[in-house]
């Protein structure tokens, strides 16, 4: 089945939906999403979205906080653009119907705004807008309502992209032909319900596929976060950058039945204290900001405490605060913790670090363009230069909003400039492939990748651990490639193929950076090396044909 659209958006989080709404009046839009439209990393974002709102805050402060968190690797031009455009993008959300929490306590209201602003780790002022503790879900709700009403938007739920479709100019040198000037023309997409593959052609393709947390054993991410956008872009020949910088959220609930339940950074922002198994606060040993230190420092501190004590978890304690305040500020967290047997108004909550946010991704310019023509990446699939070596809390939704806007402006022009309407895209060919009778291979490799990534490429790394991880992923990649070409594709196979690619990119990037900076810490090079490594780690796949 062939589908033609001006704009193809792969992913349905805040970045993808915002982009779709902004371009829909200029052409047809097809949105592809793996499950139902609201199942995305956005919907799980509890804390909020950072943007200057009060009279005591300023763009300069937010810019400096972002640069400090990024540990020398942020692109200042990008940071300034995102921060200064933030308030306008927030106003657009409010106009769409997003209901951020208002402050009804005059004594705690920030001057110049009626919104209840939170403060999180690394922020010098209160600037985090939230909708109770379900901010992402509220933003997603408003965007989905608008998307479903727009006549130019087609929503394909229960569809998963397999690979991008590209056309290229090839240059021959001797016996080697090198691919150059690659243009993206759409994607092959598996309809999970009908078990058929669709060919979707588009003038502009946008990767808004979200994160890569499922590459690790412990993650705050939902099951859909398998790094699909990064993996597809890499296979197509796009550059990726800073893949070693996986942000581990320090406080994921430690409980056998809690699959990926995050305890928001906002809890520490409201006064929660991290304690060891003896009930002793420990953050003052690691950072002068104590419990409000940035996530990389808090995660390493917890990792150190766990390795020293041998305990399974540390504890996050907000029981010293007024119970009524806790229940009002964190209603969803309080209810969810009760389901697992913890009353956060009385009990310390057991927590561990878990893979949370990928600061690297498809390398893009200020408009979200990759180095493949007509291919964009926005949101967590992209490496824009905003986050550098470590993301400042609640800057992710802000980045998604701003880049959805700038990408939409450029994409509209790219679609208008598309000249070659005669390109005939090859249809999906699975002739000779059979249904698999070796499903155990998928589950075994899936589990092995996540376990060795957690153990060898986690919060603290070493040359030996990374070398072991690389050997393992190369062997698994060979098995997956053989399996992929012999059997019909399934959603599980597509996701396994993608997490294997992302795992390899993380490992190779971590091996390449010979220093410790931000989220990347290796015991073999424990110090920063500004002389050689005050730059992005860029990987480029050269596609050749013999």
């Amino acid at each position: 089945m062939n589908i033609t659209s001006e704009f193809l958006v792969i992913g349905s989080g805040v970045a993808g939906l915002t982009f779709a709404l902004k371009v829909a009046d200029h052409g047809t839009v097809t949105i592809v999403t793996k499950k139902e439209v609201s199942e995305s990393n956005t919907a799980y974002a509890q804390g909020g979205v950072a943007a200057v709102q009060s009279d005591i805050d300023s763009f300069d402060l937010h810019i400096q906080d972002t640069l400090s968190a990024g540990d020398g690797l942020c692109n200042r031009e990008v940071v300034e653009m995102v921060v200064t455009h933030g308030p306008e993008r927030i106003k657009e959300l409010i106009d769409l119907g997003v209901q951020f929490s208002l402050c009804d306590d005059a004594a705690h209201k920030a001057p110049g705004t009626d919104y209840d602003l939170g403060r999180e780790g690394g922020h010098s002022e209160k600037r985090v807008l939230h909708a109770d503790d379900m901010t992402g879900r509220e933003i997603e709700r408003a965007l989905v309502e608008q998307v479903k009403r727009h006549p130019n938007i087609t929503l394909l739920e229960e569809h998963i992209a397999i690979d991008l479709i590209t056309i290229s100019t090839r240059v021959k040198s001797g016996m080697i032909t090198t691919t150059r000037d690659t243009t993206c023309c759409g994607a092959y997409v598996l309809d999970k319900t009908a078990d058929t593959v669709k060919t979707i052609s588009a003038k502009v393709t946008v990767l808004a596929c979200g994160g890569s947390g499922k590459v690790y054993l412990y993650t705050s991410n939902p099951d859909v976060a398998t790094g699909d956008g990064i993996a597809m872009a890499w296979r197509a020949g796009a550059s990726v950058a800073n893949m070693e910088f996986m942000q581990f959220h320090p406080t994921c609930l430690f409980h056998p039945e809690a699959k990926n339940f995050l305890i928001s950074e906002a809890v520490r922002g409201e006064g929660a204290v991290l304690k060891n198994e003896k009930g002793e606060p420990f953050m003052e040993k690691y950072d002068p900001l104590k419990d409000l230190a940035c996530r990389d420092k808090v995660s390493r501190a917890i990792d150190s405490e766990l390795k020293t004590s041998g305990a399974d978890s540390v504890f996050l304690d907000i029981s010293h605060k007024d119970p009524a305040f806790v229940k009002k500020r964190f209603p969803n967290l309080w209810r969810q913790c009760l389901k697992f047997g913890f009353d956060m108004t009385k009990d310390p909550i057991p927590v561990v670090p878990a893979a949370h946010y990928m600061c690297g991704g498809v390398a893009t310019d200020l408009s979200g363009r990759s180095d493949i023509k007509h291919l964009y990446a926005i949101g967590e699939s992209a490496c824009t230069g905003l986050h550098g070596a470590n993301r400042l809390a609640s800057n992710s939704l802000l980045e998604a909003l701003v880049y959805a806007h700038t990408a939409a402006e450029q994409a509209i022009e790219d679609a208008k400039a598309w000249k070659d309407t005669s390109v005939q895209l090859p249809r999906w060919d699975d002739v000779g492939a059979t249904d698999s009778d070796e499903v155990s291979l998928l589950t075994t490799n899936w589990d092995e990748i996540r376990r060795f990534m957690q153990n060898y490429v986690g919060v603290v790394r070493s040359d030996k651990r990374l070398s072991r991880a690389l050997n393992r992923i190369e062997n698994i990649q060979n098995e997956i490639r053989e399996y992929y070409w012999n059997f019909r594709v399934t959603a599980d196979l597509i996701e396994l193929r993608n997490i294997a690619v992302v795992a390899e990119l993380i490992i190779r990037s971590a091996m390449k950076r010979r220093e410790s900076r931000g989220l990347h810490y290796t015991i073999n090079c424990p110090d920063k090396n500004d002389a050689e490594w005050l730059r992005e780690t860029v990987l480029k796949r050269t596609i050749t044909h013999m």
Side-chain angles (χ1 to χ4, degrees):
M1 178 180 179
N2 287 348
I3 298 174
T4 300
S5 187
E6 264 80 28
F7 304 95
L8 170 61
V9 180
I10 305 175
S12 62
V14 59
L17 296 183
T18 301
F19 176 91
L21 288 169
K22 286 179 175 288
V23 299
D25 290 339
H26 300 270
T28 54
V29 183
T30 300
I31 300 175
V32 169
T33 186
K34 291 202 287 188
K35 291 190 175 181
E36 61 273 15
V37 63
S38 59
E39 182 67 6
S40 66
N41 267 8
T42 294
Y44 290 81
Q46 299 172 3
V49 52
V52 173
Q53 296 289 307
S54 74
D55 292 343
I56 59 174
D57 199 5
S58 69
F59 291 148
D60 287 342
L61 287 173
H62 193 177
I63 289 167
Q64 187 54 54
D65 290 344
T66 302
L67 295 172
S68 296
D71 207 1
L73 290 192
C74 298
N75 181 325
R76 188 179 185 102
E77 183 181 8
V78 170
V79 174
E80 291 176 351
M81 179 189 78
V82 172
V83 168
T84 56
H85 285 76
E88 187 176 354
R89 305 284 80 81
I90 293 296
K91 184 179 182 302
E92 287 179 346
L93 283 184
I94 294 170
D95 291 342
L96 286 176
V98 174
Q99 298 179 17
F100 292 110
S101 296
L102 298 171
C103 184
D104 55 9
D105 184 350
H108 293 88
K109 184 180 293 186
T113 180
D114 290 328
Y115 289 106
D116 182 36
L117 303 180
R119 181 184 175 191
E120 299 180 358
H123 289 273
S124 57
E125 293 290 346
K126 289 187 174 185
R127 64 170 67 98
V128 180
L129 294 106
H130 63 94
D132 291 332
D133 55 352
M134 297 177 288
T135 310
R137 190 182 304 176
E138 169 61 14
I139 293 174
E140 187 83 1
R141 175 201 62 77
L143 292 173
V144 168
E145 287 181 2
Q146 296 295 324
V147 162
K148 288 185 174 179
R149 290 176 189 157
H150 204 291
N152 274 0
I153 299 177
T154 299
L155 182 60
L156 300 180
E157 297 178 297
E158 300 295 335
H159 283 63
I160 180 170
I162 305 170
D163 265 322
L164 300 172
I165 305 172
T166 59
I167 55 175
S168 306
T169 301
R170 295 181 179 179
V171 178
K172 189 173 183 179
S173 176
M175 295 184 66
I176 303 296
T177 300
T178 303
T179 297
R180 293 183 181 174
D181 295 329
T182 302
T183 300
C184 184
C185 305
Y188 296 117
V189 175
L190 174 66
D191 181 338
K192 293 160 62 177
T193 304
D195 195 25
T196 57
V197 175
K198 298 174 179 177
T199 302
I200 304 180
S201 62
K203 296 177 180 179
V204 171
T205 301
V206 180
L207 298 171
C209 310
S212 312
K214 296 301 285 189
V215 174
Y216 287 87
L217 185 61
Y218 300 118
T219 178
S220 64
N221 292 183
D223 289 343
V224 295
T226 51
D228 304 328
I230 297 169
M232 286 190 292
W234 174 255
R235 286 194 294 266
S239 298
V240 299
N242 289 356
M243 290 296 291
E244 69 271 35
F245 298 122
M246 169 62 81
Q247 186 177 72
F248 285 80
H249 196 289
T251 55
C252 203
L253 180 64
F254 182 75
H255 189 280
E257 297 178 11
K259 189 175 183 181
N260 52 13
F261 187 63
L262 176 70
I263 306 300
S264 171
E265 180 126 14
V267 179
R268 284 186 289 122
E270 297 292 354
V273 177
L274 284 162
K275 299 179 178 180
N276 59 25
E277 81 283 1
K278 297 178 182 179
E280 303 165 339
F282 59 83
M283 277 306 302
E284 62 184 8
K285 295 188 298 182
Y286 298 94
D287 194 276
L289 290 176
K290 300 179 183 178
D291 297 278
L292 285 177
C294 283
R295 290 174 177 175
D296 59 325
K297 296 178 181 178
V298 178
S299 292
R300 284 203 296 274
I302 294 174
D303 184 77
S304 176
E305 290 291 314
L306 296 180
K307 283 182 167 61
T308 301
S309 66
D312 292 327
S313 73
V314 296
F315 297 87
L316 187 65
D317 190 1
I318 197 171
S319 62
H320 55 281
K321 301 288 283 189
D322 178 32
F325 167 78
V326 173
K327 292 177 184 178
K328 182 178 179 181
R329 178 65 177 87
F330 305 108
N332 182 56
L333 272 177
W334 176 69
R335 286 192 296 268
Q336 291 298 320
C337 284
L338 280 180
K339 292 180 181 179
F340 296 107
F342 306 107
D343 183 345
M344 62 189 293
T345 67
K346 302 176 183 177
D347 308 317
I349 308 167
V351 294
V352 292
H356 182 56
Y357 189 90
M358 171 52 74
C359 290
V362 182
T364 69
D365 65 8
L366 285 167
S367 296
R369 291 178 293 190
S370 74
D371 49 11
I372 293 178
K373 294 179 180 179
H374 294 264
L375 177 66
Y376 289 67
I378 54 178
E380 200 172 344
S381 293
C383 180
T384 65
L386 174 67
H387 305 306
N390 185 18
R391 176 179 69 97
L392 182 66
S394 290
N395 263 1
S396 53
L397 294 179
L398 177 68
E399 178 192 40
L401 290 167
V402 172
Y403 266 88
H405 179 81
T406 61
E409 289 184 325
Q410 182 61 49
I412 291 167
E413 297 305 313
D414 279 357
K416 289 178 182 177
W418 183 273
K419 300 296 184 184
D420 193 352
T421 58
S422 63
V423 175
Q424 295 296 314
L425 302 184
R427 300 190 66 172
W428 179 257
D429 182 7
D430 60 359
V431 174
T434 61
D435 292 327
S436 172
D437 57 359
E438 300 180 21
V439 177
S440 62
L441 178 76
L442 302 184
T443 56
T444 300
N445 282 341
W446 178 278
D447 184 64
E448 184 177 355
I449 291 171
R450 298 182 69 211
R451 287 187 181 277
F452 75 65
M453 288 297 290
Q454 189 75 35
N455 293 331
Y456 296 159
V457 201
V459 176
V460 177
R461 301 159 179 175
S462 71
D463 289 350
K464 184 178 290 186
R465 293 172 191 167
L466 292 173
S467 179
R468 287 174 178 168
L470 183 61
N471 288 334
R472 300 277 279 278
I473 198 62
E474 286 178 340
N475 290 334
I476 291 175
Q477 287 267 47
N478 289 332
E479 291 183 10
I480 293 172
R481 273 191 288 269
E482 181 180 359
Y483 189 100
Y484 177 79
W485 291 110
N486 288 330
F487 299 107
R488 291 192 178 95
V489 294
T490 64
D492 288 342
L493 174 57
I494 294 166
E495 291 186 329
L496 173 63
R497 185 176 178 233
N498 289 339
I499 70 163
V501 169
V502 173
E504 182 177 355
L505 293 173
I506 293 171
I507 295 164
R508 291 192 182 279
S509 296
M511 295 178 80
K512 190 173 181 180
R513 181 169 289 278
R514 303 302 296 164
E515 65 160 359
S516 291
R517 182 185 299 272
L519 301 167
H520 171 67
Y521 182 83
T522 170
I523 59 176
N524 297 102
C525 303
D527 300 317
K528 283 191 286 190
N529 182 355
D530 285 351
E532 296 184 27
W533 281 105
L534 200 61
R535 55 187 171 89
E536 292 185 328
T537 306
V538 179
L539 300 180
K540 175 69 175 179
R541 178 171 178 255
T542 302
I543 301 176
T544 59
H545 307 270
M546 295 293 291

